[in-house]
Structures are given as structure tokens and as C-alpha cells.
Amino acid sequence: LYPAHIPIVENALQKGWVNLPVVETKYYQCRKGWTEATKRNEQLVKEGKLKVGPNNELIGPWKGGLPFPHPRTAAQLMWNTYRSCNVEDDFKVNFPDIPLYNKEGKRERTVKWWLLKKWWVGRHDDPPIPEMPGNNGVLNSKESTILYYPFDIKGYCFLRVRYEDVTKDDEVYAYLPALRRVRRLTGNDLCDPVAGSDWIYDDFQCMRQKINPKMTFKILKKRNALLPRTYEYPKEFNIPWFKKVEGNLMPVEWCIRPVYFLEVTENDPSYAYSKRIVYVEATEITGDMLGGQFFDQKGRLWRNHGPCTPAINVKTNYRGSWCAVPILDML
């Protein structure tokens, strides 16, 4: 377990909220189109047609899937996480609540939200495949976050347009209901807090930040970690796909999985973090980030993310989206 999360798990076990079933490690599948695209990339890498350039840009005829099925450098591993298989081509979800806790562990606020995202490139299963017509590699994706609870922030909407070019900043807009105005935000420095917390937009799914030329990457080590997983139940099972329990944990299974410790250094004194150490799936072809440690500009550990909990579809054995991502402030 990541050290910062041991007290949370121990507390829940002692109070009988959850148990800790450690089960055999099983490997789940990605969607068919994703897997086929990844296999094609393997050959492109062998031929030297797919690689990372000097400005951290991806060079070559990438059409989807993991760019580097067998990453040999830290930059290749980072690009795998950037192209990770964690949402569908056209993604719409009413996420579980975002509960905000104080230092004593008491819930102070709950935020409810929608996330909608559409990929313009790297499409695998939903037409058009592999790219939106006329895009020609310009746009990466568009996404919006819509808050609908509590009342004081209801109607807030955040829109993000991402470009494939690593030197071109995202376009970011926010609708502020209190002002009844749309404001454009700085696309290269998304450090504004979200919904009354100090969580930032680039923290989504552990690390949603765009790769840029300033970043440097280093693989620190590879080791085993005890990680959670839960299950997604199709409607015909008549079982709620997300089961809540008391406290701030949910019932999950735990298994030992190998992960890379990848250090991402920002080299940008204006950014919220000086560096991140993220835990990346080492044996799957998902590119999943499974958690991480984020450090402020003074080098202090600021936040612990994860361990992230993926949801596995019990019918297809496909890897679904994140079901839970705990975030702890350490300062």
C-alpha cells in the first residue's frame, strides 16, 4: 500500500466498514479496437517509424492504441499514459460524488458533476475511426465538466479544447453562473481550484496535464504494489455498478501488480507542482496511471493520489473507467 493511505484503510477495517480481500492477480482486456491498434504500433516502433522527438512530441503515423507497447525510455512510458485506455471514444458519465473531507476526516461538502469527452484522434470503436473527418491531426479532444450540486456552484461549466501539437496550449473556458459570464482561462497553467477544494483541473484521473516541451521524465524503479479494483455491472445484472459503504472507502478486491515509478519534472516555476512521481501499470497494455505523489515548488510532498480503482466489466472483462481516486493533502 502507498504509505499515506495505510491509516485510511486501517481505520475502515477496524470499524468494520470494509474488509480487505487479497485475490489472485488477473489481467483484464482493453476494447478490441484499442488492442488491435496497439499491435500495429508495435511494428511501427520496430521499424523506427514511431518515436518521441526532441520537444517531447510524438513522431510517426500513430492512429490509436498505446504508441509503445514495450516502452524502453521514460518519454515513451509517459506517452503511453497520455494515450491511456481509460475512457471511451465518446465519453459521457455522471461521476460518483466528490466528497471533501477536513483534516479530522469529517465530510464537509459534496460535489456532483457530469463529464463529457469526445476524442478527435485515436478513435478505436465508435465511428468515425480512427479520426474525425477533416481534423488532419489538429485537435486531440474536447471535454466539458458540468457541476449540478450544491446550489452555490450549480450550473458551473468548464470546457477544454486540446490540440495535438505539444507546443500549442489548450483552449480553456469557464461559465460562471454567479456572474452569468464566460471567462477564458490560461491553457498552459490550469492551477485554479475546483469546486471549493484545492484540487486542480490537471489532477483529473491522477494527471490530466498536457505533455509539453519543458517536461523531463525519468523511470525511478519498478516494483510490486497492492492495488484495488472493483467491478462494473451491466444493466441486465440489475446490480448497482457502484456500491457505497460507510466512511470514505468502498468494497474492492486487492491484488499485487507491478508498476513503474515515473518521475515527471515540470521545469516551470509558475506551475503548481515542481514534479510528480506517478505509478504506471507495468504489465498491461492500458497505460494506466494508478496513483502518484505530487510535490510543490519547494520540493515538499503536497498531495498523494490513489491508489486509483479501475472498474472491470464483469460481462466483457474489459477495463472500464476510474471508479474512485482518493486524494490526500499532505501540507
Side-chain angles (χ1 to χ4, degrees):
L1 286 172
Y2 306 131
H5 296 94
I6 291 177
I8 298 177
V9 176
E10 288 180 341
N11 179 60
L13 287 169
Q14 291 169 358
K15 294 184 177 180
W17 292 340
V18 297
N19 54 19
L20 190 65
V22 179
V23 300
E24 178 185 0
T25 301
K26 295 181 179 179
Y27 298 102
Y28 40 80
Q29 306 175 56
C30 289
R31 297 181 300 280
K32 183 179 178 181
W34 166 274
T35 303
E36 292 175 349
T38 298
K39 291 178 180 178
R40 291 193 295 270
N41 292 337
E42 187 170 12
Q43 184 60 35
L44 292 173
V45 173
K46 289 180 180 179
E47 296 172 357
K49 296 179 180 178
L50 199 57
K51 56 187 178 181
V52 180
N55 290 320
N56 291 332
E57 74 274 30
L58 184 64
I59 299 174
W62 176 85
K63 298 297 182 182
L66 277 194
F68 306 100
H70 305 288
R72 296 183 178 181
T73 68
Q76 290 181 351
L77 183 62
M78 184 64 208
W79 266 101
N80 280 357
T81 69
Y82 193 67
R83 303 293 200 192
S84 62
C85 178
N86 53 33
V87 296
E88 293 81 9
D89 298 338
D90 299 312
F91 187 65
K92 177 182 178 182
V93 63
N94 179 9
F95 268 107
D97 301 347
I98 304 176
L100 305 177
Y101 294 86
N102 60 22
K103 292 183 178 180
E104 288 72 40
K106 182 179 179 181
R107 183 182 295 201
E108 291 189 336
R109 186 176 176 87
T110 298
V111 176
K112 299 177 184 289
W113 59 310
W114 280 89
L115 174 64
L116 301 94
K117 183 163 186 171
K118 191 179 189 73
W119 295 96
W120 257 245
V121 295
R123 300 176 63 85
H124 313 97
D125 299 283
D126 300 323
I129 298 173
E131 185 174 0
M132 297 294 288
N135 185 51
N136 298 321
V138 175
L139 289 181
N140 170 277
S141 60
K142 293 183 180 181
E143 68 178 65
S144 62
T145 302
I146 304 169
L147 308 183
Y148 64 92
Y149 181 87
F151 180 78
D152 61 325
I153 58 174
K154 181 180 179 180
Y156 174 86
C157 181
F158 174 80
L159 175 66
R160 189 172 192 167
V161 179
R162 174 158 291 182
Y163 293 90
E164 276 289 279
D165 185 349
V166 298
T167 65
K168 188 175 178 61
D169 295 340
D170 292 349
E171 286 186 35
V172 183
Y173 305 89
Y175 173 68
L176 308 175
L179 301 178
R180 300 177 65 184
R181 293 290 186 273
V182 174
R183 293 287 183 262
R184 184 167 182 174
L185 308 180
T186 304
N188 66 347
D189 185 12
L190 291 179
C191 301
D192 292 333
V194 179
S197 70
D198 58 358
W199 187 37
I200 68 174
Y201 294 102
D202 280 349
D203 288 341
F204 283 18
Q205 292 168 295
C206 191
M207 181 178 172
R208 185 69 74 86
Q209 186 184 6
K210 182 177 182 177
I211 292 178
N212 65 67
K214 294 181 180 179
M215 291 177 172
T216 54
F217 315 107
K218 181 180 179 180
I219 297 176
L220 301 179
K221 56 187 173 181
K222 179 181 177 181
R223 62 175 297 180
N224 289 332
L226 188 61
L227 295 166
R229 69 174 181 228
T230 190
Y231 294 94
E232 175 183 304
Y233 296 93
K235 291 182 179 179
E236 60 264 30
F237 281 71
N238 198 28
I239 299 174
W241 79 274
F242 181 76
K243 299 179 180 180
K244 296 181 181 179
V245 295
E246 291 183 81
N248 52 357
L249 288 179
M250 62 184 183
V252 296
E253 294 178 346
W254 297 76
C255 60
I256 295 175
R257 307 181 78 87
V259 297
Y260 289 109
F261 281 55
L262 175 65
E263 182 180 82
V264 183
T265 304
E266 294 292 338
N267 299 309
D268 181 357
S270 67
Y271 193 67
Y273 305 122
S274 61
K275 69 176 181 180
R276 295 176 174 92
I277 297 176
V278 293
Y279 318 126
V280 183
E281 178 72 69
T283 58
E284 302 277 5
I285 58 168
T286 62
D288 277 351
M289 283 188 184
L290 301 172
Q293 296 176 310
F294 297 178
F295 298 81
D296 69 8
Q297 286 294 337
K298 293 183 178 180
R300 300 174 297 181
L301 176 60
W302 183 357
R303 291 194 180 106
N304 268 289
H305 277 231
C308 305
T309 308
I312 313 305
N313 189 294
V314 297
K315 185 176 181 180
T316 63
N317 197 37
Y318 283 173
R319 157 76 164 82
S321 185
W322 296 125
C323 191
V325 184
I327 302 173
L328 295 179
D329 278 353
M330 308 304 294
L331 295 179

